[in-house]
Amino acid sequence: MSESIDFLLTNIGQLCTIPAQDGGPQRGQRFGELGLMEHAAIAVHAGVIVAIGDSDDLSARYSSLHTIDAAGRLVTPGLVDPHTHVVWAGDRADEFERRIAGVTYQQIMAEGGGINRTMLATRQADIHQMMEETKPRLNAMLASGSTTIECKTGYGLNTASELAMLSAIALLDMEHPAELAATFLGAHAVPPEYASDPDGYVRLICDEMLPAVAQWRDEHWPGPLFCDVFCEVGAFELAQTRRILEAAKAQGLLLKVHIDEFEPLGAGRMAAELGATSVDHVVVTSDEDIEAIAQSGTIAVSLPPTPFGLGHIHYTPARRFIDAGAAIAIATDCNPGTGWNENMQFVMALATRYLHLTPAEALVAATINAAYAIERGSQVGSVEIGKQADLVVWDVPSYPHLSYRFGSNLAHTVLKRGQIVFSADWRTLLSWMG
Ligand code: NIG
Ligand code: FE
């Protein structure tokens, strides 16, 4: 007698299951383990993976209303994008023209442009407008295979607007098929009203914003909530960053830090000491900080679209992190300033060329390690029994294609919690609708 399930994804040419390592991200010698299977199938029931095995065996064992035929294609877990600033209003195309003409990102920021430009547009937008401007970007992310996406605030920079951004993230999480992780980034830039008193802004974050954010979390956000700080010359210094992170920790928020994007300030050691979930950017990180990160549970999240978007030639020295034993993840950093890119396939393409990850390591960095970088490693990021059925059928025969090719979308069908949320093929959609 055959068991009943919602559907069977059959005839998978190559399946990358991408196992966790001892209940955590892959690191050290075992970084890059794909858990490959051939001629495989996945049984899904109630949005969860209930069996993984040989395609013929599972077809004989299960009867299901729907069968999705992968027709020999590659299947991976849904990609996880663990660092984005995807909620914002407006754009900065004019700043891009100036940057291409030679003006630096930091010069534009010092003139009051950059993050504070987007802050003005975002403060003027209501929650509805923020959501409407963000949806096409989330659609592009989902269609390119990202099924779980971290979203930061940081374009409000006062209590009311930061809370409005959090509400937009929570509403998008409910309305949009992509699953969102939320991060409070009140410490993204010092807003103009505090230009002459940056410490006053740090006090506002610690004494007013963080308690309000913790209350918002208690009322509206059941999962973990992160606090992030842009620790950088011209943004927040090391001592200010520590004050904010300690205040956030006291409110029960988990920690992330933008570190070493332009200047090495030594925030890696501090983040590791404070037990941060991740340190992000890590371009100009010192050997001492790499060592401290490697010795800790903190994950190094590299954002290669950012140097690419800025036309820079320096990327995260990923092999030094890997050799030291650190866990590496990759993300888009999608934002209107340094890099407006929704597609994790492009991030894998950059990571292989400029971080010198192998195609297998890039895929691990974009799935299970990325899931742990947002504390969702036990729900998403790998194909395992009991995990969410977040899956991508790719229109390619094998995993190296995902970073070998770039510039077009290789996703064929994207499933979130067992539902088809994107298909490049109308026949798949028709068979799904019955
Ligand atoms: O991660 N570094 C700080 N924040 C973003 C840029 C945001 C913006 O320019 O709007 C980043 O690159
Ligand atoms: Fe960022």
Side-chain angles (χ1 to χ4, degrees):
M1 204 183 79
S2 58
E3 302 159 55
S4 153
I5 52 167
D6 285 347
F7 72 91
L8 198 59
L9 177 60
T10 59
N11 205 8
I12 300 169
Q14 186 178 69
L15 171 64
C16 298
T17 60
I18 318 192
Q21 180 182 320
D22 309 321
Q26 292 188 15
R27 61 207 300 163
Q29 295 293 317
R30 286 174 57 195
F31 179 46
E33 265 185 34
L34 294 179
L36 287 178
M37 292 172 69
E38 279 175 12
H39 190 58
I42 301 171
V44 175
H45 192 64
V48 171
I49 296 168
V50 294
I52 305 157
D54 177 79
S55 194
D56 298 330
D57 291 353
L58 288 197
S59 298
R61 183 163 134 207
Y62 289 105
S63 65
S64 67
L65 189 57
H66 291 297
T67 297
I68 305 175
D69 183 356
R73 294 184 176 88
L74 169 73
V75 171
T76 71
L79 305 181
V80 177
D81 188 346
H83 180 138
T84 87
H85 306 255
V86 69
V87 180
W88 78 78
D91 69 66
R92 309 216 298 266
D94 53 345
E95 288 184 4
F96 172 65
E97 284 193 302
R98 294 185 60 212
R99 282 200 288 108
I100 290 308
V103 185
T104 68
Y105 179 77
Q106 291 98 317
Q107 277 170 320
I108 291 171
M109 183 159 82
E111 288 166 10
I115 294 166
N116 275 325
R117 262 285 291 300
T118 301
M119 177 273 283
L120 286 177
T122 308
R123 274 188 190 171
Q124 275 162 18
D126 60 13
I127 293 173
H128 176 76
Q129 188 190 336
M130 286 182 210
M131 291 171 65
E132 289 310 303
E133 292 200 32
T134 303
K135 277 178 194 168
R137 296 189 281 268
L138 290 178
N139 292 344
M141 288 175 166
L142 193 67
S144 55
S146 298
T147 47
T148 305
I149 298 157
E150 187 259 12
C151 301
K152 300 178 196 294
T153 69
Y155 295 118
L157 308 184
N158 63 32
T159 308
S161 297
E162 285 293 308
L163 289 175
M165 287 195 77
L166 282 174
S167 297
I169 294 169
L171 290 167
L172 285 165
D173 182 48
M174 283 191 276
E175 275 188 26
H176 198 274
E179 170 180 349
L180 307 184
T183 299
F184 165 66
L185 179 59
H188 197 191
V190 176
E193 57 273 25
Y194 281 92
S196 58
D197 181 21
D199 277 324
Y201 185 60
V202 173
R203 279 195 298 279
L204 181 80
I205 292 174
C206 295
D207 300 345
E208 185 181 301
M209 286 193 193
L210 280 167
V213 165
Q215 189 184 341
W216 177 88
R217 173 203 56 203
D218 295 344
E219 290 165 6
H220 301 286
W221 190 259
L225 184 68
F226 296 95
C227 174
D228 195 345
V229 178
F230 184 20
C231 182
E232 187 60 57
V233 174
F236 296 86
E237 296 165 0
L238 196 61
Q240 295 172 325
T241 303
R242 180 183 281 278
R243 294 217 300 277
I244 296 163
L245 294 177
E246 285 179 346
K249 202 172 169 179
Q251 294 286 352
L253 275 76
L254 301 176
L255 309 181
K256 290 180 163 286
V257 202
H258 283 66
I259 73 166
D260 306 329
E261 181 177 358
F262 303 115
E263 302 286 342
L265 299 184
R269 267 157 290 171
M270 182 180 72
E273 173 208 319
L274 292 172
T277 298
S278 72
V279 283
D280 303 47
H281 283 296
V282 288
V283 176
V284 292
T285 307
S286 69
D287 286 339
E288 201 184 341
D289 278 14
I290 292 177
E291 198 53 43
I293 293 160
Q295 296 303 318
S296 73
T298 302
I299 297 177
V301 180
S302 179
L303 314 167
T306 307
F308 178 84
L310 291 170
H312 290 177
I313 56 166
H314 294 295
Y315 288 78
T316 300
R319 298 260 50 116
R320 280 171 36 212
F321 278 89
I322 295 162
D323 291 346
I328 294 259
I330 53 177
T332 60
D333 195 23
C334 184
N335 74 77
T338 56
W340 183 335
N341 160 53
E342 289 95 345
N343 190 334
M344 285 292 285
Q345 297 164 53
F346 181 56
V347 182
M348 288 191 271
L350 292 174
T352 46
R353 274 97 180 156
Y354 299 114
L355 274 56
H356 308 292
L357 299 191
T358 65
E361 289 170 341
L363 184 54
V364 170
T367 52
I368 191 69
N369 282 16
Y372 279 106
I374 52 170
E375 308 281 355
R376 297 202 186 198
S378 47
Q379 297 100 56
V380 300
S382 64
V383 178
E384 276 179 78
I385 291 173
K387 275 198 165 178
Q388 285 178 202
D390 294 4
L391 301 164
V392 185
V393 181
W394 301 97
D395 210 0
V396 303
S398 63
Y399 72 85
H401 283 263
L402 297 182
S403 41
Y404 159 49
R405 295 164 60 173
F406 54 91
S408 54
N409 184 13
L410 301 172
H412 180 275
T413 301
V414 181
L415 295 128
K416 180 68 187 173
R417 295 188 180 100
Q419 297 291 320
I420 291 184
V421 290
F422 168 79
S423 182
D425 181 0
W426 57 270
R427 280 162 305 201
T428 305
L429 285 174
L430 283 182
S431 79
W432 181 256
M433 291 187 294

